[in-house]
Amino acid sequence: FEHFYAVLIFFFSVLGAGFLITNISLNETVDFRKRFFAALSIGSIVLTLLAYALMILGYFFPSLLKPGSFLLLFFLVLSVLKNLWFQRSFLKDRTFLLGGIFFFLLLLIRLSFLKHILLPGYSDSPIHYQIVDVFLHPGTSASFRLSIGNIFNHYYHFGFHALVAWLVLLANIAPQDAISLLGQILLVIAPISVIFLTYFLTIVTYLKI
């Protein structure tokens, strides 16, 4: 609950980003429950790409980094509210409520482990912290080997770090807390994403047969 605001921002943004894609790619006759889980499954990927694009913009125009982050959040929240408004009855669905409670408990169990750690217990955690710090302070990128400025010389996957930096700007939490927080949240989302992908591929295969 210490980072409730950050968790809320993340999930609203993930759903908003996911709805942007599912509204285009899925047929309107598809049940909204399936559309909702599809948005939750792919939303983190879409959000990561948007955050990455924002960090690239911030590298060239640092003054636009924070306003751009809030502007992106505004449109993503608007996407969520628009979709939920037209499907208000869905929020009263018993299956949805039970699923929401189960998901909350799973999240609570995962995030409870963050209370007494400074950084995830891996040898490269300080490197991840440095990358996020460089994203937040683009002017220091020249002095660090892993940054957008020298990505062609030392390539590194910056998607997760861009997402962390974006959350730090919005929720005003420490980078090390955001790294641990997002890592655990993504581990909660991953099984749901795999389940939905398996379901989707099964349906597609069945229709072909």
Side-chain angles (χ1 to χ4, degrees):
F1 291 100
E2 183 180 346
H3 299 303
F4 178 77
Y5 182 53
V7 174
L8 201 63
I9 287 176
F10 177 78
F11 279 109
F12 259 87
S13 301
V14 163
L15 283 173
F19 279 133
L20 292 176
I21 300 301
T22 57
N23 289 343
I24 298 171
S25 59
L26 293 181
N27 192 289
E28 292 182 1
T29 59
V30 174
D31 183 71
F32 186 74
R33 281 175 293 190
K34 296 174 184 175
R35 192 184 296 272
F36 181 89
F37 284 110
L40 184 61
S41 298
I42 66 171
S44 55
I45 300 172
V46 181
L47 182 60
T48 300
L49 293 173
L50 292 173
Y52 199 174
L54 190 63
M55 293 303 138
I56 294 174
L57 179 67
Y59 173 77
F60 294 102
F61 307 100
S63 60
L64 297 180
L65 193 54
K66 195 157 190 175
S69 298
F70 279 98
L71 187 63
L72 176 59
L73 176 64
F74 172 77
F75 282 111
L76 293 177
V77 170
L78 200 63
S79 171
V80 174
L81 296 178
K82 177 186 173 184
N83 280 274
L84 293 183
W85 175 257
F86 289 111
Q87 299 288 339
R88 295 187 297 276
S89 59
F90 167 72
L91 297 175
K92 299 177 183 178
D93 186 279
R94 184 175 296 179
T95 305
F96 171 74
L97 292 175
L98 290 174
I101 292 171
F102 175 77
F103 186 78
F104 173 77
L105 292 175
L106 184 60
L107 196 63
L108 198 64
I109 292 170
R110 274 286 183 184
L111 298 186
S112 64
F113 290 101
L114 302 181
K115 187 174 182 181
H116 299 294
I117 67 171
L118 297 177
L119 281 171
Y122 304 104
S123 60
D124 59 348
S125 290
I127 301 295
H128 295 306
Y129 175 86
Q130 287 178 316
I131 294 172
V132 173
D133 190 64
V134 168
F135 277 178
L136 295 171
H137 307 94
T140 64
S141 62
S143 61
F144 190 59
R145 189 167 63 93
L146 298 177
S147 68
I148 292 176
N150 50 31
I151 190 172
F152 293 109
N153 297 324
H154 305 283
Y155 173 75
Y156 199 77
H157 51 284
F158 292 131
F160 174 76
H161 309 89
L163 197 55
V164 170
W166 177 77
L167 189 63
V168 168
L169 288 168
L170 291 173
N172 196 29
I173 62 176
Q176 63 268 25
D177 292 337
I179 290 171
S180 302
L181 184 70
L182 272 186
Q184 293 300 317
I185 289 176
L186 290 174
L187 288 175
V188 174
I189 294 177
I192 298 174
S193 303
V194 172
I195 289 170
F196 184 83
L197 180 61
T198 304
Y199 169 82
F200 177 76
L201 292 176
T202 303
I203 293 298
V204 170
T205 305
Y206 174 77
L207 290 176
K208 285 183 178 179
I209 293 173

